[in-house]
Amino acid sequence: MRRVRDGQRGGLAAGEAGLAPAGPAAPAGPAEVRVGAGGFASIAAALRAVPAGTALSIAPRRDPERLVLDRDVHLSAENGPGTVWLSGDGPAIVRAAVSMRGIGLLGADPAEAVLAVVDGVAELTDCAFVGGRIEIAGGTARLRTCRLSGASLAGLHVLGDGVASLEDCVIEAVDGTGIVAAGTAVLDLTGTRVSRVSGSGLRLRSHATLRARDCEIAQAERSGLLIEEEATADLLDCLVWQPGGEGARILGAASPTAAGEPEQAGRVRLVACEIVRAGTDGVLVEGGSGVTLTRCRIRRSGQAGVVVLGEAEARLADCEIDAAGTSGLVARGDARLWGSGGAVRASAANGVFVTDAASAELTGLVVEDSGFSNVHLGADAHATLSGGRLRGTPEHGLHVAGAAVARLSEVTVDGSAMSGIQVDGTASLVADGCALDHGGIGLSVATGASARCSDCKITGADGVGVQIAAGAEVNLRACRIGRTGAAGVVLARDARASLDDCEITDAAGSALVVWTGADPQVRATRLRRSAKNGLFVGAGGAGTFTDCEISGSAFPAVHVGEGARPRLTGCRVLDCETDLSLADGAEPVFDRCEVHGVRDARLPGAGAGAKEADPGARTEEGEQPAERLEDLLAELAELVGLERVKQDVGAQVKLMRMVRRRQEAGLPAPPLSRHLVFAGNPGTGKTTVARLYGRLLAALGVLERGHLVEADRSTMVGEYVGHTAPKTQAVFQRALGGVLFVDEAYSLVPSHAGNDFGQEAIATLVKLMEDHRDRVVVIVAGYPAEMGRFVTSNPGLASRFSRVITFEDYTGAELTRIVAAQCRQHQYELPDPTTSALEAYFAALPRSRGFGNGRLARQLFQQMTENQAQRVAELDAPTTDDLLRLDPADLPTAAADA
């Protein structure tokens, strides 16, 4: 921000600024006379007596004298600024070539003018104007290092064909608008500050023109810059800052560009300006007007950053819009919006919102951390995005809705919680060379919508890579879909799609799923390393698959459902356990297909390379692929708290791994018991760890499946003689190959005297553990004290349950982390004040025997979501932030807990 800088003046010259000619030059070396002791008694008396062009040196005075300056004259304060103050009944009038230095004018009525320039040229230096405005109705006024304050309605009013040039001036404390320019007036500002005004900082009307350089607008309660009708403005290196109102408001039709300038959207131009904390929109452009913003920053607007309405146009180059109260960029009506470079960050709603019949062309724009979708296109909007990045949103990176049309080129979309790109309604998408990474769903196309993508890459989706809804139409060419958390590409009922030269790899589900009525055309596409089927054609599905390759799938490479009629021509199946599974009534057609490196080859007419089927080798349809030990250990490590449990389970895993290696080396295994006692209070994660322990043993090859079967007294103990043993045997049989988890096992040994069938259940369990000691792991769980009594109740139990793993109660911080994990899982936000309230809440809870630990934390989360739902339901128009955020008020009260 420019201030008075050691006498250096950076303003435009009069000719450069388009100012009126300076008028008659003052004669060289004017005569100087004194007003005061030894001279004239008053300025008026001196003016009547001296010739034109005389210089009057005025001694210190404070007089009620009104000036009418109708001949050339030079006035200066003999002892400098602040020593001469003049006040009169009405404004000082200038009708000639007049210069004033160090003079102060006091107004009697703030709503009236204190100085009126009617004609000629007024050169004002180091002057002060208090309690009234300066009004320039004709001629030219040049103000340098002057101060205007205490006026109402306006501080400076330039009208008609008046011209005003201000350099290093201050206009402040105005009960109204800082500067008003109307008619054909010209206003040139350099290094000037307008502050503390109750209206707009600057207001341009009619055909007025503004040029501003290195200026600042601060604390305007309404618009920082208000441009109406056909006025024009050009701002360079300016700062617009205020706590209330629009930052800049532009209304009506802007005038044509100056001669020699290229025709473009913004005839109003702001260069390197900053608009901060506008009460409503940062920049509002309406009607048929236009604006160009270059290297501008618009921060913390109360509503949108830049809004373009009606038939207005806006062009942004390398601008930054931060923390808008609603959307960052908005285009409505028939507006047109262009953007090149720059960023839109942390908008409370959408980063970019384009609707109605508006259009937008955005190049190299970064839109990130939006409260809603980063970019939303609705109604009949059209938008072209190229070379930019959409990053971080709880909704969609790009949402195309209504009948909107979006064209994307080389755009990167990542970190979208719902979808990287969502296409709804009858909207359409054309994308070329784009990358969608780490979102909920990569690309989602809803019923009635369409998408055409080429050379796009979709990776790291938590769910499906490409979801094509019923009745949607999608064309993919040379696209790469990889590392999806579910299927790679899914076609819902009657969806229409074509895939040409695409690749789908490392899907956690099937690579390509085709449901009932869908009939895709797939050519030269590769389906690789899917965790389930490479190609899954559901009941009633179809499709033509030509020259495709399916390899490395964990389930049968191709599954064809009942009544499905896919046609595979020239396809190859590689490196799979099984190439084909058929449901009853399936009617596939295979033509010139080949199978290579497949253990169980079933595909009809498979070419050379298929192995003979091994009668002993069977792959159970629906069986899950083996899990990696490293992944399971990482999952164990991610559990909240339970540090001692993690160490004990890790030690067991190391022991089992050593045993396995000795067996593989032909060495005898050491004696050990795999069965465990889990001792701890309710809700401390015993069941969760038991389930994970079974999966770990399966990954080590110690158990066949590693599944968990839960049991308690009711599932093992009968109600009459001869009923208990069969019940215990039945539940044990279901656990073979995995883990039998007996919760509250101490209830099998009741503390009261008398006959009880629980002892029969224990005896049966001990015998079954011995008979099947290599095929099952039994874990008994319950309160620590009671579990000691249970283990010592039977000698067989004591010898088989020699290892106890103790589950400590969760701390308040750990319970808070469990609630936070529930929030992430169910897409709620937990701000810092709520986290602190949670920790205090848990710290205050009594830790009695019935304390629920993790179960209590999950129940508390449910209560909080229910309380939040009741609170938000009372809001008239809840925002997405309202729907996501859990507040301290959502915690249950102590009375409710009781």
Side-chain angles (χ1 to χ4, degrees):
M1 174 65 203
R2 177 190 167 105
R3 297 289 183 267
V4 180
R5 298 174 181 166
D6 302 328
Q8 297 181 2
R9 305 301 172 203
L12 300 175
E16 296 173 328
L19 299 177
E32 183 172 302
V33 298
R34 191 170 191 266
V35 176
F40 289 96
S42 68
I43 299 174
L47 291 174
R48 289 193 296 269
V50 300
T54 300
L56 301 182
S57 178
I58 306 171
R61 63 198 297 117
R62 191 181 186 94
D63 290 340
E65 181 175 5
R66 182 186 179 193
L67 300 179
V68 178
L69 307 174
D70 53 6
R71 69 166 95 180
D72 298 351
V73 67
H74 304 272
L75 308 177
S76 63
E78 183 177 83
N79 289 356
T83 61
V84 175
W85 290 95
L86 304 176
S87 61
D89 185 13
I93 304 295
V94 175
R95 290 195 179 97
V98 173
S99 71
M100 300 171 63
R101 179 181 292 274
I103 305 298
L105 298 181
L106 297 173
D109 184 352
E112 299 295 332
V114 69
L115 172 66
V117 179
V118 178
D119 198 1
V121 177
E123 298 275 0
L124 310 173
T125 305
D126 296 333
C127 293
F129 305 90
V130 180
R133 69 180 177 275
I134 295 178
E135 188 169 289
I136 303 168
T140 299
R142 298 192 181 100
L143 287 76
R144 183 170 176 270
T145 59
C146 292
R147 182 178 295 270
L148 294 80
S149 63
S152 62
L153 301 181
L156 170 65
H157 192 181
V158 189
L159 64 157
D161 59 355
V163 177
S165 172
L166 281 70
E167 182 178 353
D168 296 324
C169 294
V170 174
I171 300 175
E172 62 184 357
V174 177
D175 185 14
T177 303
I179 301 176
V180 177
T184 59
V186 176
L187 179 63
D188 189 282
L189 307 177
T190 301
T192 290
R193 174 184 171 90
V194 178
S195 67
R196 294 188 291 122
V197 298
S198 65
S200 299
L202 274 68
R203 183 180 184 184
L204 274 67
R205 302 178 59 192
S206 189
H207 294 80
T209 299
L210 165 69
R211 298 182 182 89
R213 177 189 297 272
D214 198 19
C215 294
E216 179 177 328
I217 303 172
Q219 296 174 279
E221 293 184 12
R222 299 185 65 183
S223 305
L225 172 62
L226 172 59
I227 304 176
E228 301 175 297
E229 299 163 3
E230 298 183 20
T232 63
D234 186 351
L235 277 69
L236 178 63
D237 296 327
C238 294
L239 176 68
V240 183
W241 184 93
Q242 69 282 342
E246 290 97 359
R249 181 180 176 91
I250 302 163
L251 307 171
S255 63
T257 53
E261 290 186 354
E263 186 70 28
Q264 58 184 20
R267 275 83 71 186
V268 176
R269 295 189 294 154
L270 287 81
V271 181
C273 296
E274 187 165 4
I275 300 172
V276 184
R277 293 188 183 277
T280 55
D281 302 319
V283 174
L284 176 60
V285 191
E286 289 184 296
S289 57
V291 63
T292 294
L293 308 174
T294 304
R295 300 190 309 280
C296 293
R297 290 194 68 190
I298 301 167
R299 297 189 291 127
R300 299 189 179 280
S301 302
Q303 295 182 9
V306 175
V307 181
V308 194
L309 303 179
E311 297 181 354
E313 302 176 356
R315 187 180 299 270
L316 285 71
D318 297 321
C319 293
E320 296 184 6
I321 301 173
D322 295 325
T326 57
S327 297
L329 289 173
V330 176
R332 293 179 179 270
D334 294 310
R336 289 186 290 173
L337 172 66
W338 290 268
S340 175
V344 179
R345 303 185 183 93
S347 301
N350 302 110
V352 178
F353 183 89
V354 185
T355 190
D356 301 329
S359 64
E361 184 175 330
L362 307 173
T363 303
L365 179 67
V366 174
V367 184
E368 57 188 358
D369 299 329
S370 305
F372 296 175
S373 298
N374 283 321
V375 176
H376 177 91
L377 310 177
D380 295 305
H382 285 64
T384 300
L385 285 74
S386 57
R389 183 166 191 168
L390 314 178
R391 175 172 55 196
T393 168
E395 295 188 355
H396 313 294
L398 168 65
H399 189 190
V400 193
V405 177
R407 293 179 173 84
L408 276 67
S409 175
E410 305 293 337
V411 174
T412 298
V413 183
D414 64 274
S416 306
M418 292 184 179
S419 303
I421 299 177
Q422 174 78 29
V423 190
D424 285 328
T426 59
S428 63
L429 165 75
V430 178
D432 182 23
C434 296
L436 282 63
D437 196 15
H438 290 95
I441 296 174
L443 168 64
S444 178
V445 185
T447 300
S450 64
R452 187 170 72 250
C453 303
S454 59
D455 296 308
C456 292
K457 186 176 181 181
I458 301 172
T459 56
D462 295 334
V464 175
V466 178
Q467 178 78 57
I468 307 170
E473 183 171 353
V474 173
N475 304 105
L476 305 177
R477 186 186 66 79
C479 292
R480 304 293 180 264
I481 298 107
R483 303 195 315 278
T484 56
V489 176
V490 175
L491 282 74
R493 177 184 293 269
D494 300 327
R496 302 182 302 277
S498 67
L499 285 76
D500 188 359
D501 189 27
C502 294
E503 183 171 279
I504 306 173
T505 60
D506 300 304
S510 296
L512 176 58
V513 176
V514 181
W515 287 111
T516 306
D519 187 12
Q521 306 297 305
V522 183
R523 190 193 72 81
T525 290
R526 297 160 297 285
L527 313 176
R528 296 174 173 168
R529 299 187 301 277
S530 55
K532 294 186 177 179
N533 305 107
L535 171 63
F536 180 98
V537 183
T544 300
F545 305 87
T546 306
D547 299 329
C548 295
E549 178 185 294
I550 307 172
S551 63
S553 59
F555 284 18
V558 178
H559 172 80
V560 184
E562 179 182 357
R565 298 182 177 183
R567 183 182 187 90
L568 281 74
T569 302
C571 295
R572 303 171 71 227
V573 178
L574 309 173
D575 304 324
C576 302
E577 182 72 17
T578 305
D579 56 3
L580 178 65
S581 65
L582 300 175
D584 292 340
E587 300 181 28
V589 175
F590 298 95
D591 181 20
R592 296 181 288 106
C593 294
E594 297 183 3
V595 174
H596 296 270
V598 175
R599 179 185 178 92
D600 185 5
R602 305 175 183 178
L603 196 147
K611 295 183 178 180
E612 292 295 325
D614 180 359
R618 303 173 69 100
T619 300
E620 182 181 350
E621 196 169 332
E623 183 179 340
Q624 294 294 329
E627 296 181 283
R628 297 175 66 248
L629 181 63
E630 291 76 12
D631 294 339
L632 294 172
L633 290 172
E635 187 174 337
L636 175 67
E638 289 174 0
L639 295 178
V640 174
L642 305 177
E643 298 305 323
R644 180 176 172 184
V645 173
K646 294 173 186 177
Q647 293 176 4
D648 291 343
V649 172
Q652 283 291 100
V653 169
K654 291 178 181 178
L655 178 60
M656 296 296 180
R657 179 184 283 178
M658 182 273 293
V659 169
R660 185 71 176 174
R661 287 175 177 172
R662 284 182 62 88
Q663 290 174 333
E664 291 172 348
L667 300 172
L672 65 115
S673 174
R674 300 182 297 183
H675 312 298
L676 300 172
V677 176
F678 282 4
N681 291 325
T684 48
K686 298 186 293 295
T687 305
T688 299
V689 174
R691 184 175 288 108
L692 186 54
Y693 185 63
R695 293 162 60 198
L696 284 163
L697 296 185
L700 286 167
V702 175
L703 290 176
E704 298 166 29
R705 294 173 58 194
H707 64 292
L708 183 79
V709 174
E710 297 185 57
D712 56 16
R713 179 182 172 88
S714 66
T715 57
M716 297 176 66
V717 177
E719 299 175 0
Y720 51 85
V721 176
H723 191 206
T724 295
K727 289 189 70 173
T728 303
Q729 289 169 354
V731 71
F732 191 94
Q733 197 69 30
R734 294 202 309 272
L736 288 177
V739 173
L740 176 62
F741 181 79
V742 185
D743 199 13
E744 298 182 346
Y746 53 83
S747 64
L748 297 175
V749 188
S751 57
H752 61 80
N755 295 328
D756 184 85
F757 294 130
Q759 289 290 350
E760 183 183 355
I762 293 174
T764 303
L765 179 63
V766 169
K767 184 177 186 305
L768 290 170
M769 291 170 65
E770 178 61 24
D771 293 343
H772 304 280
R773 57 180 177 271
D774 295 327
R775 295 194 60 199
V776 75
V777 167
V778 178
I779 298 176
V780 292
Y783 289 107
E786 283 82 348
M787 290 310 297
R789 177 172 57 85
F790 167 76
V791 171
T792 58
S793 69
N794 184 296
L797 292 177
S799 63
R800 285 167 176 80
F801 292 98
S802 58
R803 182 175 294 275
V804 178
I805 295 181
T806 301
F807 287 70
E808 303 287 350
D809 285 347
Y810 288 109
T811 65
E814 290 168 345
L815 291 172
T816 301
R817 287 173 54 196
I818 292 173
V819 175
Q822 292 285 300
C823 288
R824 290 190 297 272
Q825 180 180 349
H826 297 281
Q827 295 190 9
Y828 284 85
E829 292 180 354
L830 201 67
D832 291 341
T834 311
T835 300
S836 300
L838 268 172
E839 292 176 350
Y841 180 92
F842 286 127
L845 287 178
R847 298 290 184 116
S848 61
R849 174 183 172 89
F851 186 75
N853 283 289
R855 187 179 303 123
L856 181 144
R858 290 185 289 272
Q859 291 171 347
L860 178 62
F861 168 75
Q862 182 178 346
Q863 288 179 274
M864 292 178 70
T865 59
E866 292 171 355
N867 292 343
Q868 185 242 31
Q870 295 294 326
R871 174 173 57 80
V872 173
E874 297 177 2
L875 301 177
D876 292 333
T879 65
T880 297
D881 184 63
D882 293 328
L883 297 173
L884 292 174
R885 189 182 66 252
L886 294 178
D887 288 339
D890 298 326
L891 279 163
T893 63
D897 292 337

